Amino acid sequence: MRLDPRVLILCGALAGAAAAQAGPVEVTFTHAARMSDAGTTPSDEESNLKAIAQHLRSLGPRYLSSDRTLEIEVTDVDLSGENKLLRRRIGEMRVARGGADIPKISVRYTLQAHGQVLKQGEETITDLDYLRRPTRYGPADPLAHEKRMLDDWFKARFATP
Protein backbone atom coordinates (compact mmCIF):
# COMPACT_ATOMS: atom_id res chain seq x y z
CA MET A 1 0.00 0.00 0.00
CA ARG A 2 1.38 3.36 -0.99
CA LEU A 3 0.78 6.49 1.12
CA ASP A 4 -0.10 9.80 -0.44
CA PRO A 5 2.87 12.22 -0.05
CA ARG A 6 0.46 14.88 1.27
CA VAL A 7 -0.43 12.57 4.17
CA LEU A 8 3.27 12.13 5.01
CA ILE A 9 3.82 15.89 4.92
CA LEU A 10 0.80 16.47 7.16
CA CYS A 11 2.00 13.83 9.65
CA GLY A 12 5.45 15.42 9.72
CA ALA A 13 3.96 18.87 10.29
CA LEU A 14 1.78 17.59 13.14
CA ALA A 15 4.73 15.85 14.77
CA GLY A 16 6.76 19.06 14.48
CA ALA A 17 3.93 21.08 16.02
CA ALA A 18 3.71 18.65 18.94
CA ALA A 19 7.45 18.89 19.51
CA ALA A 20 7.27 22.69 19.38
CA GLN A 21 4.57 22.69 22.05
CA ALA A 22 6.62 20.52 24.37
CA GLY A 23 8.86 22.79 26.34
CA PRO A 24 10.62 23.36 29.61
CA VAL A 25 7.34 23.94 31.53
CA GLU A 26 4.63 21.30 31.84
CA VAL A 27 1.35 22.43 33.43
CA THR A 28 -1.41 20.17 34.72
CA PHE A 29 -4.56 20.83 36.73
CA THR A 30 -5.73 18.67 39.62
CA HIS A 31 -9.50 18.47 39.96
CA ALA A 32 -10.19 21.33 37.54
CA ALA A 33 -13.92 20.99 38.22
CA ARG A 34 -13.38 21.82 41.91
CA MET A 35 -11.46 25.09 41.55
CA SER A 36 -12.55 27.82 43.98
CA ASP A 37 -13.21 30.42 41.27
CA ALA A 38 -11.82 29.85 37.80
CA GLY A 39 -14.72 31.56 36.03
CA THR A 40 -18.49 31.96 35.98
CA THR A 41 -19.40 29.32 33.40
CA PRO A 42 -17.80 26.01 32.42
CA SER A 43 -16.54 27.51 29.15
CA ASP A 44 -15.22 30.54 31.05
CA GLU A 45 -13.39 28.22 33.48
CA GLU A 46 -11.92 26.18 30.64
CA SER A 47 -10.76 29.31 28.84
CA ASN A 48 -9.19 30.80 31.98
CA LEU A 49 -7.38 27.59 32.94
CA LYS A 50 -6.09 27.23 29.40
CA ALA A 51 -4.83 30.85 29.47
CA ILE A 52 -3.11 30.29 32.84
CA ALA A 53 -1.38 27.15 31.55
CA GLN A 54 -0.31 28.89 28.36
CA HIS A 55 1.04 31.84 30.33
CA LEU A 56 3.06 29.62 32.67
CA ARG A 57 4.50 27.77 29.67
CA SER A 58 5.49 31.07 28.07
CA LEU A 59 7.55 31.99 31.14
CA GLY A 60 9.82 28.95 30.80
CA PRO A 61 11.92 30.15 27.85
CA ARG A 62 12.22 33.58 29.46
CA TYR A 63 13.42 32.51 32.92
CA LEU A 64 14.70 28.92 32.78
CA SER A 65 18.06 27.87 31.40
CA SER A 66 17.86 25.41 28.52
CA ASP A 67 18.87 22.41 30.64
CA ARG A 68 16.03 22.82 33.15
CA THR A 69 12.48 21.54 33.11
CA LEU A 70 9.64 22.52 35.40
CA GLU A 71 6.49 20.60 36.22
CA ILE A 72 3.69 22.69 37.70
CA GLU A 73 0.52 21.12 39.06
CA VAL A 74 -2.18 23.73 39.67
CA THR A 75 -4.37 22.56 42.55
CA ASP A 76 -6.65 25.58 42.95
CA VAL A 77 -7.48 28.88 41.26
CA ASP A 78 -9.32 31.81 42.84
CA LEU A 79 -9.40 34.72 40.41
CA SER A 80 -9.20 38.33 41.55
CA GLY A 81 -12.48 40.08 42.21
CA GLU A 82 -15.87 38.50 42.53
CA ASN A 83 -18.80 38.03 40.19
CA LYS A 84 -21.73 40.40 40.57
CA LEU A 85 -25.06 40.02 38.84
CA LEU A 86 -25.74 43.36 37.12
CA ARG A 87 -29.14 43.11 35.50
CA ARG A 88 -31.03 40.26 34.09
CA ARG A 89 -30.24 41.13 30.47
CA ILE A 90 -26.68 42.29 31.00
CA GLY A 91 -25.41 39.27 32.92
CA GLU A 92 -22.50 39.05 35.32
CA MET A 93 -19.38 41.16 35.71
CA ARG A 94 -16.20 40.55 37.67
CA VAL A 95 -15.74 43.36 40.19
CA ALA A 96 -12.38 43.90 41.92
CA ARG A 97 -12.29 45.95 45.11
CA GLY A 98 -8.87 45.08 46.51
CA GLY A 99 -10.06 43.52 49.76
CA ALA A 100 -10.62 39.84 50.39
CA ASP A 101 -10.94 39.26 46.65
CA ILE A 102 -7.21 38.86 45.99
CA PRO A 103 -6.05 36.45 43.29
CA LYS A 104 -4.80 33.09 44.62
CA ILE A 105 -3.35 30.17 42.71
CA SER A 106 -2.19 27.06 44.57
CA VAL A 107 0.54 24.96 42.95
CA ARG A 108 2.95 22.08 43.43
CA TYR A 109 6.14 22.25 41.41
CA THR A 110 9.30 20.31 40.63
CA LEU A 111 12.30 21.91 38.94
CA GLN A 112 14.79 19.48 37.39
CA ALA A 113 18.07 19.59 35.50
CA HIS A 114 19.65 16.51 33.95
CA GLY A 115 17.23 14.26 35.82
CA GLN A 116 18.13 15.72 39.23
CA VAL A 117 15.52 17.51 41.33
CA LEU A 118 16.80 21.01 42.07
CA LYS A 119 13.78 22.44 43.80
CA GLN A 120 10.28 21.32 44.65
CA GLY A 121 7.52 22.68 46.76
CA GLU A 122 3.90 23.52 47.27
CA GLU A 123 2.56 27.01 47.81
CA THR A 124 -0.30 29.39 47.31
CA ILE A 125 0.65 32.37 45.17
CA THR A 126 -1.14 35.60 46.12
CA ASP A 127 -0.88 39.31 45.48
CA LEU A 128 -2.31 41.45 48.28
CA ASP A 129 -1.66 44.69 46.36
CA TYR A 130 -3.01 43.52 43.02
CA LEU A 131 -5.04 46.70 42.41
CA ARG A 132 -2.28 49.10 43.42
CA ARG A 133 0.42 47.80 41.08
CA PRO A 134 0.50 48.46 37.36
CA THR A 135 0.20 45.55 34.96
CA ARG A 136 1.63 45.40 31.49
CA TYR A 137 -1.25 43.26 30.26
CA GLY A 138 -3.78 46.09 30.17
CA PRO A 139 -7.39 46.38 31.26
CA ALA A 140 -8.69 44.34 28.32
CA ASP A 141 -7.01 41.16 29.57
CA PRO A 142 -9.36 39.45 32.05
CA LEU A 143 -6.40 37.70 33.73
CA ALA A 144 -4.05 40.70 33.87
CA HIS A 145 -3.66 40.56 37.67
CA GLU A 146 -3.15 36.79 37.73
CA LYS A 147 -0.57 36.93 34.92
CA ARG A 148 1.46 39.67 36.63
CA MET A 149 1.30 37.71 39.90
CA LEU A 150 2.54 34.56 38.11
CA ASP A 151 5.30 36.57 36.39
CA ASP A 152 6.59 37.80 39.74
CA TRP A 153 6.38 34.36 41.36
CA PHE A 154 8.02 32.54 38.46
CA LYS A 155 10.88 35.05 38.25
CA ALA A 156 11.48 34.95 42.02
CA ARG A 157 11.50 31.14 42.20
CA PHE A 158 13.07 29.95 38.98
CA ALA A 159 14.99 32.69 37.13
CA THR A 160 18.56 31.70 36.36
CA PRO A 161 21.19 34.41 36.23
Side-chain angles (χ1 to χ4, degrees):
M1 178 168 115
R2 186 171 173 181
L3 288 176
D4 185 347
R6 292 177 293 186
V7 172
L8 292 174
I9 292 170
L10 179 62
C11 289
L14 290 174
Q21 285 181 344
V25 179
E26 181 183 321
V27 181
T28 58
F29 293 89
T30 303
H31 308 297
R34 290 192 242 157
M35 299 288 170
S36 294
D37 175 20
T40 56
T41 65
S43 65
D44 203 22
E45 289 178 8
E46 182 181 346
S47 174
N48 288 336
L49 295 180
K50 191 176 195 179
I52 289 169
Q54 183 177 4
H55 186 70
L56 284 167
R57 285 186 201 107
S58 75
L59 296 173
R62 197 178 325 163
Y63 295 114
L64 294 177
S65 61
S66 61
D67 65 330
R68 296 183 179 197
T69 59
L70 177 64
E71 296 174 5
I72 300 175
E73 179 184 356
V74 179
T75 58
D76 194 23
V77 172
D78 189 355
L79 300 177
S80 61
E82 57 187 342
N83 291 316
K84 295 289 185 185
L85 184 60
L86 296 176
R87 290 187 189 155
R88 211 174 268 186
R89 292 187 183 167
I90 295 175
E92 291 188 13
M93 173 186 242
R94 187 165 287 278
V95 178
R97 295 196 174 127
D101 58 357
I102 62 173
K104 293 180 265 192
I105 299 177
S106 299
V107 297
R108 286 187 203 108
Y109 60 86
T110 303
L111 178 67
Q112 296 182 353
H114 308 291
Q116 296 284 91
V117 173
L118 302 176
K119 186 186 288 191
Q120 66 185 132
E122 183 173 348
E123 63 186 282
T124 299
I125 308 160
T126 61
D127 184 357
L128 297 175
D129 290 329
Y130 78 98
L131 285 179
R132 292 179 187 90
R133 297 181 27 209
T135 176
R136 69 176 195 217
Y137 299 102
D141 189 334
L143 298 175
H145 301 298
E146 289 77 8
K147 287 179 179 178
R148 188 201 53 234
M149 176 181 76
L150 289 171
D151 289 348
D152 294 346
W153 172 77
F154 201 102
K155 186 177 181 180
R157 294 292 176 283
F158 309 114
T160 52

